[in-house]
């Protein structure tokens, strides 16, 4: 593999240090990767600050043209990026390819949204205008579950609105991001986009940096709270997309044969490491046994293997820490519920966990209360739908959720009452670049995507003109 470098001030350069990236399917060394130090972080922020005035002055059209050129260059390298993504992240190749297409769609579609000047009022005595001005340097901090998609959401919104960026991937999945930085280097003016990497040690310095105007973060709720603290003294703008504990509510008229595979896929995609994955299922007592059996059958049949191998449905957990966490949760769950599929850990060296289905589990069990972020799904029964809605909403999280029914009107009435940023009826995980998404409660602040998502990267600038 060709060497990986940081992107600072238009230059690809080695890190002050290096670190190793592991392939989670083998547990073995995959590549060496640069690791920035504090000085390089400061250089990256300073370069972004210098580049800001000229970038902000460009028109949307001029900025969009450069982002579209990046999308074009990435389109020509989908296979290469998808393979690299699978080897660093673990997800099956078909999911990696989907992530690449999604990334390109975000670059193109999100950058095609423009926030024009508006006349809010025009009377005999006054005109009131709204301009939207970029904020300055944005810190884009991303996690290890969907490294490409999440980077695209952040940088496309930030850049098209006229901000410059310093981005920082998660230490265990920096490689696709660093390759992407090479493409950006060829298509953007120096300093407009910078990428540094760390070993989980530079995040706080970046978010508290006086020259960062906004932090756009996706990751755990715990880290999100730390970011709120570290940005408080300068009141930086924040967009936070955090954890979720999304419930699927299956109404008693649902056709389980068609719904069960969708629930299974919604819970197990990317080995369950998706903030918007289905994390709990509530099903009517009359269908409880049938759905449990069907999900267990799907789990038993699932092919768990190296994502690079054809036919793999579920890859390894992304890193050792997450593997240990989910494994401990499954061990604990043996006493809290009945494991009817999975609950086993194929011999290493990779971080594999068989998809695990748990029934007869108490609402207060940790697997139900907390975000598992792994391939283990609790199935709970309810006797009336009011009870199901109340239990689905009884959580500090509020990211997504799904409702399943043969009668979409009936499902919609339930969906309206799910207290979350997004809810899907008879489908799951449809995210479109022109539709905003965000979290309720402790699942986040603000929204991403759509005009509303881009607006979060601007200052609303109101001008009153007396006549
Ligand atoms: P996890 O705990 O699953 O690794 P995190 O939410 O901690 O997830 O990580 C998401 C991203 O946040 C990563 O890029 C990580 O390096 C970064 N990060 C970790 N700690 C901090 C922090 N205190 N401030 C800012 N970013 C951080």
């Amino acid at each position: 593999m060709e060497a990986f470098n940081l992107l600072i001030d238009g230059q690809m350069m080695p890190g002050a240090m290096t670190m190793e990236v592991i392939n989670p399917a083998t547990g073995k060394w995959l590549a060496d990767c640069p690791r920035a130090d504090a000085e390089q972080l400061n250089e990256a922020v300073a370069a972004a600050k210098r580049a800001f005035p000229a970038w902000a002055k460009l028109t949307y059209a001029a900025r969009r043209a450069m982002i579209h050129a990046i999308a074009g260059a990435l389109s020509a390298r989908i296979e290469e990026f998808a393979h690299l993504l699978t080897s660093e992240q673990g997800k099956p190749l078909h999911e990696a390819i989907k992530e690449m297409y999604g990334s390109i769609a975000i670059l193109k579609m999100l950058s095609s949204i423009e926030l024009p000047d508006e006349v809010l009022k025009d009377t005999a005595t006054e005109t009131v205008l709204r301009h939207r001005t970029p904020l300055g340097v944005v810190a884009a901090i991303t996690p290890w579950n969907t490294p490409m998609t999440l980077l695209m959401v952040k940088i496309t919104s930030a850049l098209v609105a006229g901000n410059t960026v310093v981005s920082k991937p998660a230490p265990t999945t920096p490689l696709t991001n660093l390759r992407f930085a090479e493409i950006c280097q060829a298509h953007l003016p120096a300093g407009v986009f910078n990428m540094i990497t760390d070993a989980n040690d530079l995040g706080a310095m970046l978010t508290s940096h006086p020259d960062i105007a906004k932090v756009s973060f996706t990751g755990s709720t715990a880290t999100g709270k730390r970011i709120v603290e570290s940005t408080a003294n300068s009141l930086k703008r924040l967009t936070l997309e955090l954890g979720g504990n999304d419930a699927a509510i299956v109404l008693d008229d649902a056709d389980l044969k068609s719904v069960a595979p969708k629930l299974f896929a919604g819970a197990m995609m990317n080995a369950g490491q998706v903030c918007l994955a289905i994390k709990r299922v509530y099903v009517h007592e009359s269908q409880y046994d049938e759905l449990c059996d069907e999900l267990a059958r799907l789990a038993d049949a699932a092919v768990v293997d190296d994502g690079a191998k054809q036919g793999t449905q579920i890859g390894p957990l992304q890193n050792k820490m997450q593997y240990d966490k989910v494994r401990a949760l499954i061990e604990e769950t043996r006493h809290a519920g009945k494991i009817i599929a999975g609950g086993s850990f194929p011999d290493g060296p990779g971080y594999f966990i068989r998809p695990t289905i748990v029934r007869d589990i108490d609402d207060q069990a940790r697997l139900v209360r907390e975000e598992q972020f792994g391939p283990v799904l609790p199935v709970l029964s309810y006797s009336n739908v009011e009870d199901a809605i109340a239990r689905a909403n009884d959580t500090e999280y509020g990211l997504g959720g799904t409702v399943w029914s043969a009668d979409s009107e009936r499902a919609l009435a339930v969906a309206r009452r799910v207290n979350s940023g997004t809810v899907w009826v008879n489908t799951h995980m449809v995210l479109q670049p022109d539709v905003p998404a965000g979290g309720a409660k402790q699942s986040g602040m603000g929204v991403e995507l759509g005009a509303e998502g881009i607006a979060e990267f601007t200052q609303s600038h109101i001008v009153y003109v007396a006549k």
Side-chain angles (χ1 to χ4, degrees):
M1 240 183 279
E2 245 177 81
F4 294 89
N5 287 295
L6 309 176
L7 173 57
I8 299 174
D9 202 11
Q11 304 294 318
M12 301 305 303
M13 62 175 70
M17 298 162 275
T18 57
M19 57 186 189
E20 290 190 344
V21 178
I22 302 295
N23 179 339
T26 61
K28 299 215 169 76
W29 178 88
L30 172 66
D32 285 330
C33 161
R35 175 179 165 192
D37 63 5
E39 200 180 319
Q40 289 181 312
L41 181 153
N42 283 327
E43 282 170 22
V45 177
K49 189 180 176 185
R50 282 194 302 275
F52 174 66
W55 183 250
K57 261 197 217 123
L58 294 178
T59 59
Y60 269 87
R63 294 190 293 249
R64 179 182 310 126
M66 288 184 238
I67 297 171
H68 279 213
I70 292 170
L74 191 58
S75 301
R77 294 171 62 181
I78 287 178
E79 284 288 317
E80 173 202 343
F81 270 81
H83 279 95
L84 186 59
L85 182 55
T86 289
S87 56
E88 70 171 337
Q89 202 283 332
K91 65 185 60 186
L93 192 55
H94 63 91
E95 285 187 28
I97 289 172
K98 207 169 150 200
E99 180 165 349
M100 292 312 304
Y101 278 104
S103 298
I104 291 159
I106 291 163
L107 284 167
K108 285 187 184 158
M109 285 176 68
L110 196 54
S111 68
S112 297
I113 298 172
E114 194 163 323
L115 302 176
D117 293 349
E118 294 166 81
V119 179
L120 300 182
K121 259 188 186 182
D122 192 18
T123 68
T125 56
E126 65 180 3
T127 307
V128 183
L129 306 169
R130 178 186 5 230
H131 305 135
R132 288 196 173 273
T133 53
L135 298 170
V137 183
V138 170
I141 302 181
T142 47
W144 42 257
N145 60 343
T146 40
M148 285 299 287
T149 315
L150 294 170
L151 178 68
M152 298 311 132
V153 173
K154 292 176 186 339
I155 68 166
T156 306
S157 319
L159 293 177
V160 79
N163 304 278
T164 56
V165 174
V166 176
S167 83
K168 192 203 80 58
T172 55
T173 54
L175 301 181
T176 42
N177 277 205
L178 292 169
R179 275 288 175 267
F180 176 74
E182 293 170 10
I183 294 179
C184 293
Q185 189 235 8
H187 289 95
L188 293 172
V192 166
F193 177 62
N194 305 269
M195 183 175 290
I196 55 165
T197 51
D198 72 340
N200 261 336
D201 55 342
L202 293 180
M205 185 179 168
L206 189 58
T207 57
S208 59
H209 197 294
D211 290 331
I212 295 287
K214 174 183 170 96
V215 177
S216 175
F217 170 80
T218 301
S220 64
T221 294
T223 303
K225 288 178 183 174
R226 263 178 244 132
I227 290 175
V228 172
E229 280 171 24
S230 76
T231 53
N233 62 356
S234 56
L235 292 181
K236 290 182 175 51
R237 300 302 180 260
L238 284 178
T239 305
L240 303 176
E241 201 255 274
L242 308 176
N245 192 6
D246 297 0
I249 301 177
V250 183
L251 301 187
D252 59 6
D253 61 356
D255 170 16
L256 295 189
K257 279 278 174 290
S258 95
V259 170
K262 293 175 189 158
L263 294 175
F264 186 75
M268 301 298 171
M269 66 196 298
N270 199 12
Q273 303 164 116
V274 181
C275 42
L276 283 156
I278 294 173
K279 308 240 165 78
R280 303 172 280 157
V281 176
Y282 292 89
V283 57
H284 189 261
E285 57 193 4
S286 63
Q287 293 187 310
Y288 188 59
D289 289 341
E290 189 188 342
L291 184 63
C292 287
D293 292 350
E294 194 56 27
L295 289 171
R297 196 186 60 72
L298 290 162
D300 286 337
V303 179
V304 178
D305 206 338
D306 185 335
K309 285 193 195 159
Q310 208 160 16
T312 294
Q313 274 171 278
I314 301 177
L317 280 278
Q318 200 281 316
N319 56 72
K320 177 79 165 56
M321 206 168 88
Q322 191 61 21
Y323 171 83
D324 289 341
K325 260 195 214 168
V326 177
R327 191 171 172 150
L329 184 59
I330 291 175
E331 293 303 346
E332 186 182 315
T333 300
R334 292 190 201 286
H335 311 287
K338 188 169 166 201
I339 294 178
I340 52 171
S344 59
F345 314 97
D347 285 342
Y351 311 135
F352 295 100
I353 295 181
R354 290 282 322 165
T356 300
I357 306 293
V358 184
R359 61 171 289 167
D360 303 322
I361 183 165
D362 190 82
D363 276 13
Q364 297 311 315
R366 203 155 68 84
L367 176 62
V368 181
R369 299 296 313 167
E370 294 180 13
E371 179 178 40
Q372 62 272 51
F373 223 67
V376 45
L377 182 67
V379 189
L380 302 114
S381 89
Y382 67 84
S383 50
N384 73 70
V385 76
E386 288 303 316
D387 175 50
I389 297 168
R391 287 158 70 200
N393 286 336
D394 179 23
T395 168
E396 70 209 21
Y397 293 112
L399 198 55
T402 52
V403 184
W404 305 85
S405 169
D407 176 348
S408 55
E409 285 300 312
R410 196 176 156 224
L412 182 58
V414 174
R416 282 179 176 282
R417 297 175 57 201
V418 174
N419 190 356
S420 66
T422 303
V423 60
W424 290 276
V425 171
N426 290 331
T427 185
H428 179 233
M429 274 303 282
V430 182
L431 287 171
Q432 294 169 348
D434 52 352
V435 179
K441 298 190 271 183
Q442 293 189 30
S443 285
M445 285 168 64
V447 295
E448 296 194 292
L449 301 172
E452 226 181 301
I454 295 176
E456 294 207 9
F457 289 83
T458 66
Q459 173 64 44
S460 167
H461 181 242
I462 304 290
V463 185
Y464 280 81
V465 183
K467 285 185 179 164

